[in-house]
Each structure stands twice: as C-alpha cells, then as structure tokens.
Amino acid sequence: MRVKRIILGGSLLLLCIALTCAVSYVVKSYQKQSRLIESELKFNANFVSIWLQTAFNHSNFVLTQLSKDLTQDGFAQLALSDNHYQEQAEVFELHYQTLMNAIHVFAVDKDCVLLKTKTIGGVDLSSREYCQKLRNNDGEIKSVITAPFKDILNRNVVVQGVRITNKKGDFAGIVGLLTDFTFFTKALRSANLSEGSSITILSRDFTVLATTVPRYLPIGEPMDFDYVPYDKINGLKYNQELMFDSNKKYNGAYQGVFVKKASDLPFIILVTKAKNYWFMPLYITIATVIFLLLALTLFLIKNVNYFSRLDIKAQHYSKLALYDDLTGSCNRRCFKAKMMDYIAAYHERDRMFSVALFDIDYFKQINDTYGHDIGDEVLRQFSLICEAKVTNGGLFARLGGDEFVMVLVNTTGLQVKAILNELLRSICKIEIATDAGIIRLTCSIGVAEVSKATRDCTEVLNKADEALYQAKKLGRNQVVIYQY
C-alpha cells in the first residue's frame, strides 16, 4: 500500500511537473509566435511601403525635372501648334519609359486644358482636384498625389502631378502621370507573403487599390468597415502604425490586423494574419493535457520542425531584405545600409569614393519586344559583367528595374572615368541570343563624388542621377561625371 502511495504520489508529482513544464513551454512558445508573426506583418507592410515610396519618389523627381525643363523652355509662351504637340509627345514618351508606375504622362496648360500627347487633347480639366490645388495655392504646393477617380477614358487611376511655372514663378500648367490599379497589384506580387497572410493597399479615402483577398475587399470599391473599424484607421498620420483585431471573420477567420500609413504618400498598407496562427500553441496545450507523454513528444517534434521552417523563412526574409533575387546583387536596402559605412569612413578617415548610377539603354523596348524572360536574362548578364569590375572594397547593387549603382573606393575622377569606359566596352560585347536575333546592350552612366556636405546616400544619388540624365540627353552609352 505504501509503495502504491509512493508510486501514485510520484506519478501525480511527475504529472504536475510535466503539466507545469508543458504549460510554461507553450505559453513562451505562444509569445514567441506572436512576436514573430507581428514582425512578419510589419516586414510585409514596410516592404510594400518602401516599394511604393521608391516608385513615387522616382516619378516625382522625373516630373519635377520635366517641369523645370518646360519652365526653362518657356512653356507658358509656346504656341499650341500640332508640331509643338508632337515635340512634347516625344518628350513625354521618353520620360514615360523611365517611370515604372506610369500608364500615361501628360501636361495641361495654365487654364487646365489637356495638351494633346498620344491620345486626346483639348479637354477642360479645371474641375479636377489636382488642377485646383496646383493652380490656386500661389506656389505653396509643388506636387500632389490624388485619391483614385475615373479619368476621361473611364479608367480607374491615381494622378501624380507637379506644378509648371513661367519664368516669373507664376502658374503655367501641370505635368503629371496616370497610375492605374495594375501598378498596385504588381506591388503586392513583389511581396512574398507567408501562408495565412493577406495584404491590401488603400488610398487616403479608403478605396481598395489592390489586395490579395478581392473576395472580401473588391478592388476599386471602398473599404468594408465591417471587417476593419473606421475609427481604427481614420486619421492615421504618415508612418503611423497600428495593431488590432478584426471585428468579424475576414478571409475565413478572425484576423490580427497591422496598418501602416506610407511615409509621404496618401496610401495605407493593411496586412492581416488569421488568428488561428496565434492560437495554435494553445491547441497543443489541450492535447498535452489529454495525452500527456505522447502529446509532449509530438509537441517537441512538431516544434523542432516548426522552428526549423521559421528559421528557413527568417533566412529567406533576410536574403529578400538585402539581396536581389534575380541578379543576386545587393538591393536598395543593402545599398543604403552600406552607404552609411562609406560616408562615415569618408568623414572619419578621408576615404574618398564615387557613386556611379547605371541605366540600361532602351531596356523597356527589350522587355516589350522580346518578353520579360529575355529582359531578366539581360539584367543577369549585365549584373555579372558589372560585379566583375568591383574591386578594392567597392559595391555593386540593383536599386530596381534596370537601375543599378556602383561604389568605387579610393579612385580619382580620371580613374573612375577610365574604369567605367572600360566597363562600357565590356557591356557592348554582351550578346544574348533570341529567336528574333542577337541582343546587344549599351548603358548610360552618371557619376557623383562624395563631398564634405554629403551626409546620406540620397544627396550623392541625386547628383549621380542628374549626371545620368545628362548622359541620356547627350546620346546615351557614355559616362558623365557630375560637376560641382
């Protein structure tokens, strides 16, 4: 009897210890799971936000440059002849090819009448929001991005517009671009979401621009506030983030919702994950109570496999965050991080460097003519040639599309030009065979050297971009160094 009591007491003690350990382990596992999923939601939202910022910041730079060119060319005094329309159409088409988010580049005059480019002209747009803002604010507002609306061809679009002035600084017109919902859909496809997640891009008036769950959030329609409360997402400020739960079942389950207002853009990123992913460890606890020893064993095996998969995903996200999956080169995030080291080394140890910005000539035409598979091969071959030229602690990175950048360390201006001219000759030797013939490449390069005023990569990149613009303007396939 005594032995039985000892065995029973020992078994009960073992049961209590096992249950305590199981509950403690599962609680910690649940907390870690929650943190990992919250990090995943934030990563996906930031990924799309950065993608949108990159596209619209680039297009704003291009439109601003075009506005300056039109101001210098006396846009306000030009006669609106057919020849002038044709010349402007060619200029707009050239800029359109550099903009990833444009379906059309256009201009309106000082009366907000649409100038004829490729399709239609002479339409009075004075009632449009962007025309009223840019015409009536006395120059306080230089550019706008609108909420989605129907354009004159009945397309659902967003307009990004920049003010044009005459030489006195008075309003002379607007240059802008149209972006349709296809662009935002591409943004979502660029994000590699894990199982159970969804992501949606909303405009500032809560119109659904793109989503991975169109069944619940139809594209082009206002946000369904039965799922996500209006008071939760109304009034978000730029870069503000919120985490909360959905009111109703959404995409088949109650959701954990992460919302982020994109910096400097009128867009809201909404990322969700089904709540059953949070509760899975709790289900394992119930199974552990019923089938203690067996369940504990299965639980440990499951979690070894589970955390192994999480580790693989973490490595995948780490690689996705720092390296371009097509070319294997350093990506924009990686480039910005390393540029801080270069700039710090320059200010602390006087370690000079130059930044070269690359743009493959007529790359859009290659994509349109031969297809995206050939376009991807062009990017891979181009990247291999350029990577081979990186020496002495330099760096080569892909910023996006056919835009690449190289950092050349401890080189003079003459050495930089010699290196890059040699690289241009190597690029010209690239031959890519297709069914329609051999593709040969050329490239335009803009170079800027670090200076004492340089504090972040944006400054030196902008100067390199200006030099790149000059290289294109001078006929492409050449190197232009920014002159301070």
Side-chain angles (χ1 to χ4, degrees):
M1 183 67 66
R2 184 178 178 185
V3 173
K4 288 184 179 180
R5 286 199 297 269
I6 292 174
I7 294 175
L8 179 60
S11 298
L12 289 174
L13 179 61
L14 179 62
L15 178 61
C16 291
I17 293 173
L19 286 174
T20 302
C21 292
V23 171
S24 175
Y25 176 80
V26 173
V27 168
K28 291 181 179 179
S29 177
Y30 171 75
Q31 292 173 343
K32 184 173 184 179
Q33 168 86 344
S34 298
R35 289 194 298 270
L36 286 170
I37 292 177
E38 289 177 8
S39 297
E40 175 190 323
L41 295 181
K42 290 181 180 180
F43 175 84
N44 288 333
N46 289 332
F47 184 92
V48 176
S49 177
I50 290 170
W51 199 96
L52 292 173
Q53 284 178 268
T54 300
F56 281 94
N57 288 346
H58 172 67
S59 58
N60 188 68
F61 173 80
V62 173
L63 291 175
T64 301
Q65 189 61 47
L66 181 55
S67 171
K68 291 179 180 178
D69 292 344
L70 292 174
T71 298
Q72 292 172 358
D73 293 342
F75 177 81
Q77 287 77 38
L78 291 176
L80 304 180
S81 65
D82 288 341
N83 288 338
H84 174 63
Y85 283 143
Q86 182 61 32
E87 291 173 3
Q88 293 294 9
E90 292 173 359
V91 172
F92 293 158
E93 178 65 18
L94 175 64
H95 285 79
Y96 162 74
Q97 293 176 9
T98 70
L99 300 173
M100 69 179 79
N101 54 327
I103 59 170
H104 187 54
V105 179
F106 66 94
V108 300
D109 63 16
K110 63 183 179 181
D111 298 317
C112 282
V113 174
L114 179 66
L115 301 186
K116 184 176 180 182
T117 52
K118 293 179 67 174
T119 53
I120 191 171
V123 178
D124 184 1
L125 301 179
S126 57
S127 62
R128 295 296 192 190
E129 170 197 3
Y130 56 91
C131 282
Q132 294 176 2
K133 277 192 175 182
L134 293 176
R135 181 172 61 179
N136 300 329
N137 66 84
D138 297 326
E140 294 177 6
I141 301 176
K142 304 296 184 182
S143 63
V144 296
I145 299 176
T146 71
F149 65 94
K150 295 280 189 182
D151 71 351
I152 55 179
L153 297 180
N154 204 36
R155 297 174 295 191
N156 289 311
V157 298
V158 172
V159 164
Q160 184 176 11
V162 173
R163 201 171 191 261
I164 306 171
T165 59
N166 59 24
K167 294 185 178 179
K168 295 181 180 179
D170 299 324
F171 178 80
I174 299 168
V175 61
L177 63 83
L178 299 179
T179 298
D180 66 357
F181 290 173
T182 304
F183 163 75
F184 297 100
T185 301
K186 289 179 180 177
L188 295 191
R189 288 176 181 172
S190 69
N192 189 11
L193 299 176
S194 63
E195 181 184 359
S197 292
S198 72
I199 188 162
T200 301
I201 301 175
L202 304 171
S203 67
R204 64 189 176 196
D205 63 353
F206 308 118
T207 299
V208 179
L209 302 179
T211 182
T212 57
V213 284
R215 175 183 172 187
Y216 299 94
L217 301 171
I219 295 174
E221 299 294 328
M223 176 75 186
D224 187 343
F225 295 112
D226 286 341
Y227 295 115
V228 178
Y230 176 79
D231 59 352
K232 290 283 189 181
I233 60 177
N234 185 42
L236 284 176
K237 297 180 180 179
Y238 286 137
N239 231 16
Q240 187 176 354
E241 300 176 350
L242 289 176
M243 182 83 73
F244 53 90
D245 293 340
S246 61
N247 280 354
K248 295 171 58 179
K249 282 190 175 180
Y250 161 42
N251 198 14
Y254 287 101
Q255 303 283 314
V257 181
F258 178 77
V259 178
K260 176 184 175 69
K261 186 72 174 287
S263 298
D264 302 322
L265 292 174
F267 304 125
I268 298 170
I269 315 299
L270 187 148
V271 189
T272 72
K273 184 109 175 170
K275 289 300 291 183
N276 56 16
Y277 284 86
W278 269 269
F279 296 143
M280 188 174 293
L282 182 60
Y283 301 150
I284 296 173
T285 303
I286 297 172
T288 303
V289 172
I290 299 172
F291 306 102
L292 182 60
L293 297 176
L294 178 61
L296 281 174
T297 303
L298 293 176
F299 180 76
L300 291 173
I301 295 174
K302 179 180 176 67
N303 276 273
V304 167
N305 179 58
Y306 176 71
F307 286 113
S308 176
R309 285 188 283 114
L310 282 181
D311 184 58
I312 292 172
K313 286 182 181 180
Q315 292 177 12
H316 171 74
Y317 284 136
S318 178
K319 185 175 181 181
L320 182 65
L322 297 176
Y323 294 95
D324 177 53
D325 58 351
L326 176 64
T327 64
S329 298
C330 184
N331 66 9
R332 180 179 290 271
R333 182 190 294 269
C334 169
F335 169 76
K336 284 186 175 181
K338 293 190 177 183
M339 275 294 291
M340 296 302 296
D341 295 335
Y342 286 118
I343 293 171
Y346 168 73
H347 288 292
E348 293 171 7
R349 302 191 297 275
D350 224 11
R351 190 179 184 222
M352 293 294 299
F353 68 91
S354 298
V355 173
L357 200 58
F358 296 70
D359 200 277
I360 300 173
D361 295 333
Y362 307 111
F363 179 73
K364 185 178 184 299
Q365 294 181 11
I366 294 174
N367 260 344
D368 293 344
T369 304
Y370 301 98
H372 289 283
D373 289 342
I374 297 297
D376 289 347
E377 182 60 23
V378 166
L379 294 177
R380 280 191 287 267
Q381 293 293 332
F382 178 84
S383 183
L384 285 173
I385 291 291
C386 294
E387 288 275 9
K389 292 293 182 182
V390 176
T391 57
N392 300 326
L395 174 68
F396 181 73
R398 182 187 180 197
L399 300 183
D402 64 326
E403 189 178 21
F404 295 84
V405 65
M406 182 182 290
V407 178
L408 300 100
V409 180
N410 290 333
T411 50
T412 65
L414 291 175
Q415 289 172 328
V416 167
K417 195 156 189 176
I419 292 169
L420 294 178
N421 278 323
E422 182 183 350
L423 178 55
L424 282 181
R425 289 190 289 272
S426 298
I427 292 169
C428 290
K429 294 177 183 178
I430 296 176
E431 294 184 353
I432 299 174
T434 71
D435 294 338
I438 300 295
I439 298 177
R440 293 180 174 83
L441 305 180
T442 61
C443 174
S444 301
I445 305 176
V447 183
E449 190 175 89
V450 67
S451 67
K452 294 294 183 183
T454 303
R455 295 297 169 188
D456 60 56
C457 65
T458 302
E459 299 173 21
V460 70
L461 273 178
N462 287 341
K463 292 180 174 62
D465 198 49
E466 290 182 34
L468 175 60
Y469 178 78
Q470 288 299 319
K472 291 181 179 179
K473 193 173 181 181
L474 293 172
R476 303 176 186 262
N477 193 27
Q478 58 187 283
V479 179
V480 171
I481 297 180
Y482 181 87
Q483 300 297 324
Y484 284 86

